[in-house]
């Protein structure tokens, strides 16, 4: 680990998200294979449950990879993703929570999907910019890492072995 990050990491490890450390907690607002639309559906929605559980001031928002597959084509999935992510971001903002919007990484599992990643990232970045929200260009940040920081499945990010 980089020593210059130790104080920051120690701070967050000591924090509480519900009844555990933010690093040990399983969120209600993300599940394998789910997308932004899932996070805002239901009464209460997963995002509302998460807000109730931990009362966050910040929220890392990282949807899009699964959403790409929720249409007949990647192009047809884009509109619903835009609308769902817009609603999710607006819900957080209305509740006084600052979304930190993450772009999506490579899709090494499917070359056709990987070609659409820049387009989805433009939409994600545009939604962040129009709301003056922080945007993390994950795609760019991972460029220099082996295998773009991806695990063997080519979809999920690799875990830091610490």
């Amino acid at each position: 680990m980089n020593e210059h990050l130790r104080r920051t990491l120690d701070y967050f490890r000591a924090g509480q998200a519900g009844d555990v450390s933010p690093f040990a907690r399983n969120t209600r607002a993300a599940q394998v294979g789910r997308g932004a639309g899932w996070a805002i559906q239901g009464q209460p929605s997963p995002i509302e449950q998460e807000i109730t559980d931990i009362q966050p001031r910040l929220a890392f928002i990282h949807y899009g990879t699964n959403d790409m597959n929720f249409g007949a084509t990647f192009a047809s999935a884009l509109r619903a993703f835009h609308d769902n992510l817009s609603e999710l971001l607006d819900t957080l903002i209305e509740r006084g929570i600052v979304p930190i919007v993450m772009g999506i990484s490579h899709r090494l599992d499917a070359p056709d999907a990987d070609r659409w990643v820049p387009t989805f990232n433009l939409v994600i970045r545009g939604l962040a910019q129009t709301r003056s929200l922080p945007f993390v260009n994950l795609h760019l940040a991972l460029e220099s890492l082996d295998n773009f920081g991806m695990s063997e499945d080519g979809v999920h990010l690799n875990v830091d072995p610490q």
Side-chain angles (χ1 to χ4, degrees):
M1 174 177 52
N2 294 323
E3 283 305 312
H4 68 281
L5 296 177
R6 180 162 306 282
R7 280 185 39 204
T8 301
L9 202 51
D10 288 346
Y11 172 82
F12 283 103
R13 283 185 173 148
Q16 291 293 308
D19 58 353
V20 297
S21 155
F23 290 95
R25 185 173 184 282
N26 289 322
T27 179
R28 293 179 185 253
Q31 283 186 2
V32 173
R34 302 288 189 161
W38 167 83
I40 57 174
Q41 294 174 352
Q43 293 297 323
S45 68
I47 199 72
E48 289 291 341
Q49 292 176 49
E50 187 74 0
I51 292 167
T52 299
D53 284 354
I54 64 171
Q55 298 296 306
R57 298 180 96 184
L58 304 170
F60 285 92
I61 303 303
H62 187 207
Y63 288 102
T65 302
N66 293 324
D67 298 89
M68 294 176 74
N69 297 323
F70 295 159
T73 65
F74 300 121
S76 69
L78 193 56
R79 182 62 189 194
F81 172 63
H82 171 277
D83 294 346
N84 291 330
L85 187 58
S86 292
E87 184 176 335
L88 191 153
L89 295 175
D90 292 342
T91 296
L92 293 170
I93 292 166
E94 288 165 8
R95 297 288 298 269
I97 300 164
V98 177
I100 300 168
V101 185
M102 311 285 288
I104 57 177
S105 53
H106 286 272
R107 288 282 307 267
L108 302 182
D109 64 320
D112 288 342
D114 195 49
R115 284 191 283 280
W116 275 90
V117 167
T119 302
F120 273 72
N121 276 337
L122 284 173
V123 168
I124 296 167
R125 183 181 185 146
L127 291 172
Q129 280 183 305
T130 60
R131 290 162 176 80
S132 299
L133 299 173
F135 172 77
V136 178
N137 187 338
L138 195 56
H139 193 268
L140 180 61
L142 299 172
E143 282 293 313
S144 65
L145 298 178
D146 291 340
N147 210 38
F148 305 112
M150 305 300 293
S151 65
E152 291 178 9
D153 69 5
V155 178
H156 298 96
L157 295 176
N158 201 351
V159 176
D160 181 4
Q162 298 186 21

